[in-house]
């Protein structure tokens, strides 16, 4: 008797992978689709611009859980000072 358990994957990307309009987003988008077909994916990402709710809904359909951390201008300033 074998139990088919899907692997669990934590995917961390530096930018939301939707809309795939730049090289890094295109790569992350296709990797996410590949992983989601084969594993349970938890996604952690940063957002340097406002999130489109349709994109967030698409991500939720692919992932078990998503966490989007917005980057604010003060965060960039603190990073530069450090």
């Amino acid at each position: 008797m074998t139990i088919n358990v899907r692997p669990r994957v934590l995917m961390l990307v530096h930018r939301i992978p939707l809309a795939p309009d730049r090289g890094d987003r295109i790569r992350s988008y296709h990797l996410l689709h590949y992983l989601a077909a084969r594993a349970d994916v938890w996604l952690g990402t940063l957002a340097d611009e406002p999130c489109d709710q349709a994109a967030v809904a698409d991500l939720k359909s692919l992932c078990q859980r998503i966490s989007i951390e917005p980057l604010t201008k003060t965060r960039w300033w603190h990073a530069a000072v450090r």
Side-chain angles (χ1 to χ4, degrees):
M1 180 173 154
T2 61
I3 299 174
N4 292 333
V5 178
R6 289 168 52 105
R8 295 184 215 163
V9 176
L10 172 63
M11 183 175 179
L12 301 173
V13 292
H14 71 283
R15 189 177 294 186
I16 297 174
L18 294 174
D21 56 356
R22 297 180 187 150
D24 58 337
R25 287 183 179 177
I26 293 169
R27 181 179 53 248
S28 297
Y29 173 79
H30 288 293
L31 181 58
L32 176 61
H33 273 272
Y34 179 85
L35 290 172
R38 292 158 179 78
D40 295 333
V41 180
W42 279 258
L43 177 68
T45 182
L46 301 173
D48 55 355
E49 54 194 30
C51 302
D52 178 25
Q53 293 305 315
V56 172
D58 287 343
L59 290 174
K60 286 183 179 180
S61 71
L62 292 171
C63 302
Q64 295 293 315
R65 186 168 183 183
I66 63 170
S67 177
I68 301 172
E69 182 66 29
L71 293 175
T72 60
K73 293 184 189 258
T74 58
R75 183 173 231 169
W76 287 109
W77 184 80
H78 287 294
V81 170
R82 291 183 192 152

